[in-house]
Amino acid sequence: MIESERLRLRGWIDTDKAPFLAMCTDPAVMDYLGPPLTAADVEAQTARQNGLLADLGHCFWAVERREDGAFLGFCGLKPGAVGTPIEGRIEIGWRLAQPYWGKGYAREAAEASLAWGWEKLAVPDIWAITVLGNSRSWGLMERLGMTLRPELDFDHPQPGLEDRLKPHITYSIERP
């Protein structure tokens, strides 16, 4: 478990599934991510993240507010997706429910994830990808000190993505 001033990043528990499903069926949240998730998708994703946590010691952790235990979304580190320029590298990623946008939670969780990664993982850099149009996401990448890597722009290979969601950009940050 990772704790920051306001947040706790931890493995996934059963009570995360309902708010995660609600978040992943919100059109605003999913605007740059693809179609809404189903309950089966949520089951698979939470199991996959807990599997990564068990195998690697890290994943896209569930994010909860320390004050009241509210589920906010996820943030963390995992292996980069197959078929992307960050395959085999450590990827940082995040997704928060809309009521928690604009409050600094994503940045706080990402900074805690990066600090954990630099302390625990022997990697020279950490990577992130996002849809070209997702300025909120790449804006956070830049606020974190990440650098755009335009030579690694790519079309995401995930099947069924709308054309507008295929163009992706890549950012990285080197170990401090």
Side-chain angles (χ1 to χ4, degrees):
M1 182 184 316
I2 300 170
E3 290 193 347
S4 64
E5 181 181 341
R6 300 179 294 166
L7 305 174
R8 185 173 293 116
L9 285 68
R10 56 162 175 74
W12 292 78
I13 57 177
D14 285 341
T15 56
D16 297 332
K17 292 174 184 174
F20 185 48
L21 179 61
M23 178 180 91
C24 293
T25 56
D26 178 340
V29 171
M30 299 306 288
D31 188 39
Y32 293 109
L33 300 169
L37 299 186
T38 65
D41 295 331
V42 165
E43 286 290 331
Q45 285 198 15
T46 57
R48 185 169 43 254
Q49 294 309 317
N50 277 336
L52 289 171
L53 184 58
D55 293 346
L56 304 174
H58 57 90
C59 65
F60 281 176
W61 294 289
V63 176
E64 71 178 24
R65 193 167 42 204
R66 289 176 59 182
E67 174 185 328
D68 59 6
F71 174 85
L72 307 187
F74 69 73
C75 183
L77 306 170
K78 70 169 191 63
V82 173
T84 70
I86 64 169
E87 180 178 347
R89 302 173 194 242
I90 296 297
E91 174 185 7
I92 186 169
W94 48 81
R95 183 184 311 169
L96 297 184
Q98 190 177 8
Y100 307 112
W101 294 0
K103 300 178 183 341
Y105 292 130
R107 183 173 185 167
E108 185 174 333
E111 288 173 342
S113 295
L114 285 171
W116 185 95
W118 299 136
E119 180 183 337
K120 305 287 187 184
L121 304 175
V123 295
D125 42 37
I126 295 176
W127 297 76
I129 59 175
T130 191
V131 172
L132 177 60
N134 191 349
S135 60
R136 293 178 70 97
S137 189
W138 57 256
L140 177 53
M141 293 171 192
E142 291 180 357
R143 288 190 299 281
L144 292 169
M146 300 186 88
T147 302
L148 179 64
R149 301 291 301 271
E151 72 278 13
L152 298 177
D153 289 356
F154 69 103
D155 282 348
H156 203 287
Q158 179 181 327
L161 279 183
E162 297 174 43
D163 286 345
R164 71 178 184 89
L165 299 179
K166 290 181 182 178
H168 272 60
I169 55 177
T170 304
Y171 278 78
S172 68
I173 187 168
E174 293 183 2
R175 176 178 290 279

